[in-house]
Amino acid sequence: MTEMTGGPALPQERRVVTSVPGPKSQELMARKQASVADGIGTVMPVFAKRAGGGVLEDVDGNSFIDFGSGIAVTGVGNSAEAVVRRATAQLEAFTHTCVMVTPYEPYVEVCEELAKLTPGDHAKKSALFNSGAEAVENAVKIARTYTRRQAIVVFDHGYHGRTNLTMALTSKNMPYKHGFGPFAPEVYRVPVAYPYRWLTGPENCAEEAAAQAIDQISKQVGAENVAAILIEPVLGEGGFIEPAKGFLPRIAQFAKDNGIVFVADEIQSGFCRTGQWFACEDENIVPDLITTAKGIAGGMPLAAVTGRSEIMDAAHSGGLGGTYGGNPVACAAALGAIETMREMDLAARARRIEEIMKPRLQKLAGQYDVIGDVRGRGAMLAIELVKPGGKEPDPQVTAALAKACHQDGLLVLTTGTYGNVMRFLPPLVIDEALLAEGLDVLENALAGL
């Protein structure tokens, strides 16, 4: 009998049949420690064998409810039918030519889809890359070429990648930057509207944070020197911070008024994750450039910069690209992922996930004073964990809560500048009963702290 593969047909159940990690995962972990660099960390020490729908199965037969989606990558589910179908057909045709040597239709098709899907009705073009960090770095290159300026403005708690330039753009030191400097110059960081931690209260956050950011840019950098303002519409690794309403429009307008390229980093928040195709749509933000990756291709490595044609065309011929950027198999997978998002209306599914999850999380916040804040949109939700009686971050209890969830069959991820945020990124195709069961596991873990 042929062993069942993963994908949507995988039984959608939580099942813990061994210790976590089990014996086979422990054996594999010993092999990893002997042959893989220690810098490659592990959130949960189990080895995946199959995944699909809303579950991930390990080599020991344990089946975990997936609240991580490979860090927002498998929104359409692992091994989604259209992704597998299109990628398999492309594999059988050819795996690589390099688009800069002989181009191919799937690359053009992905760029056409991005022009349709991203905000704004202006003429758009795209360039495809391998990773989110590459997309961000190329957005900076394009903006600098277009404006003939050098300075790049980013925000507190922002995360933009692990290359040298994107480490400079990223706020958090450990583990992303520690010991890896010196970093690229001409990067300037300004305040972001973080409602939960704004000293004068969330009601003042948008206006005061925008005023401070604009003042710092004007006084310390000079708006006339700024090539790009780069921000995540929902800040990911910084702690799933949703900037206070009104902040993003103020910053976007300042950029427009001063000839600055406004770049929305939608690498974690894009492709239906927040209940819209892109998070910046929530406040009708139309970015000049938008960077995407993660959810774009159902698990295959692909990223993009999409933006106004006149900006995208600023770079000279040959100035953008890379050997593997826009690989044909990854492009085929992206077309399958986009097909799935449209046919299943996964933006609506994300909103439904919020309808189920957010009230439960808010109820738990009322019961457990270690939960200081509940935030996020769609299927990009989080709780911030603090020491009772105040807002002091509690990374230790966050780590303990995550471990308890893992032991009971729920895959969760932590995040945040202070290491005290638990984020929830379930696949957008997850079964509602499985979603509710995952929340039960979380509640039991909180009760056991």
Side-chain angles (χ1 to χ4, degrees):
M1 181 177 177
T2 304
E3 186 177 38
M4 189 191 320
T5 58
L10 197 64
Q12 298 297 291
E13 61 183 16
R14 178 173 62 100
R15 184 177 64 249
V16 181
V17 296
T18 72
S19 60
V20 178
K24 292 181 180 178
S25 281
Q26 292 180 45
E27 290 175 13
L28 285 166
M29 186 58 69
R31 289 169 56 188
K32 175 183 180 292
Q33 290 170 344
S35 59
V36 178
D38 286 350
I40 305 296
T42 299
V43 171
M44 191 167 76
V46 302
F47 277 72
K49 185 175 183 180
R50 289 181 280 257
V55 298
L56 181 148
E57 184 180 301
D58 74 5
V59 291
D60 291 287
N62 300 302
S63 179
F64 299 87
I65 298 173
D66 184 4
F67 276 13
S69 297
I71 317 183
V73 169
T74 54
V76 296
N78 257 292
S79 299
E81 185 277 331
V83 173
V84 172
R85 169 170 41 85
R86 286 182 179 251
T88 299
Q90 183 58 53
L91 274 167
E92 291 173 345
F94 61 93
T95 57
H96 176 75
T97 67
C98 183
V99 73
M100 298 180 298
V101 177
T102 57
Y104 34 84
E105 188 175 6
Y107 189 110
V108 177
E109 287 184 278
V110 170
C111 294
E112 290 171 338
E113 289 286 7
L114 288 168
K116 294 174 191 173
L117 293 170
T118 51
D121 56 7
H122 52 274
K124 301 172 201 164
K125 291 187 177 183
S126 295
L128 305 183
F129 304 98
N130 299 297
S131 69
E134 273 191 74
V136 170
E137 200 151 317
N138 278 277
V140 169
K141 288 165 56 178
I142 293 164
R144 283 175 167 167
T145 304
Y146 177 73
T147 61
R148 300 185 182 276
R149 305 172 181 177
Q150 293 185 345
I152 306 298
V153 172
V154 290
F155 293 81
D156 288 339
H157 307 287
Y159 174 86
H160 301 288
R162 294 173 182 259
T163 59
N164 185 267
L165 174 57
T166 56
M167 281 190 294
L169 302 171
T170 291
S171 290
K172 189 175 180 179
N173 175 54
M174 193 69 180
Y176 305 119
K177 302 169 69 170
H178 188 71
F180 296 144
F183 303 113
E186 286 300 311
V187 173
Y188 301 88
R189 199 172 317 283
V190 297
V192 74
Y194 186 166
Y196 179 65
R197 294 195 172 275
W198 198 253
L199 289 177
T200 61
E203 68 278 4
N204 302 313
C205 185
E207 182 62 32
E208 292 180 359
Q212 287 184 26
I214 290 168
D215 183 67
Q216 285 184 218
I217 296 167
S218 302
K219 301 293 195 307
Q220 299 180 23
V221 187
E224 67 277 12
N225 297 316
V226 179
I229 293 176
L230 172 65
I231 190 168
E232 302 160 274
V234 178
L235 284 72
E237 303 302 309
F240 278 32
I241 301 163
E242 186 177 2
K245 299 299 182 192
F247 177 79
L248 287 175
R250 278 283 309 278
I251 299 299
Q253 187 62 49
F254 173 78
K256 183 178 181 180
D257 292 344
N258 289 277
I260 299 167
V261 176
F262 184 82
V263 186
D265 180 342
E266 293 259 12
I267 287 161
Q268 190 160 174
S269 60
F271 293 100
C272 302
R273 175 56 59 182
T274 62
Q276 294 158 304
W277 277 89
F278 298 97
C280 58
E281 295 178 74
D282 181 66
E283 293 188 90
N284 299 313
I285 303 293
V286 178
D288 297 310
L289 299 179
I290 184 168
T291 59
T292 54
K294 290 190 183 291
I296 193 173
M300 295 295 288
L302 188 69
V305 182
T306 301
R308 298 181 185 277
S309 294
E310 66 273 20
I311 299 177
M312 292 296 298
D313 284 342
H316 54 274
S317 179
L320 305 177
T323 301
Y324 294 108
N327 169 269
V329 181
C331 286
L335 294 170
I338 292 168
E339 175 188 327
T340 304
M341 292 175 214
R342 279 204 182 101
E343 290 187 355
M344 298 185 71
D345 193 359
L346 292 189
R349 291 285 289 270
R351 294 193 295 273
R352 176 59 182 157
I353 287 170
E354 180 181 350
E355 288 175 0
I356 295 169
M357 290 192 72
K358 207 164 193 179
R360 284 283 304 271
L361 295 174
Q362 289 167 336
K363 182 181 177 183
L364 291 174
Q367 295 174 291
Y368 298 96
D369 54 5
V370 295
I371 300 178
D373 194 28
V374 175
R375 56 179 179 258
R377 299 201 307 270
M380 189 174 182
L381 301 171
I383 54 175
E384 180 161 355
L385 297 152
V386 296
K387 294 182 180 179
K391 294 186 178 182
E392 183 181 348
D394 197 335
Q396 288 77 28
V397 80
T398 308
L401 180 60
K403 184 174 181 180
C405 289
H406 297 164
Q407 295 292 320
D408 202 20
L410 175 65
L411 192 163
V412 292
L413 306 172
T414 60
T415 190
T417 302
Y418 311 110
N420 70 319
V421 176
M422 182 169 286
R423 56 179 158 175
F424 306 107
L425 293 161
L428 305 181
V429 297
I430 192 170
D431 181 81
E432 290 187 12
L434 205 61
L435 190 66
E437 186 177 354
L439 290 167
D440 291 341
V441 172
L442 175 66
E443 184 169 0
N444 291 335
L446 280 163
L449 288 177

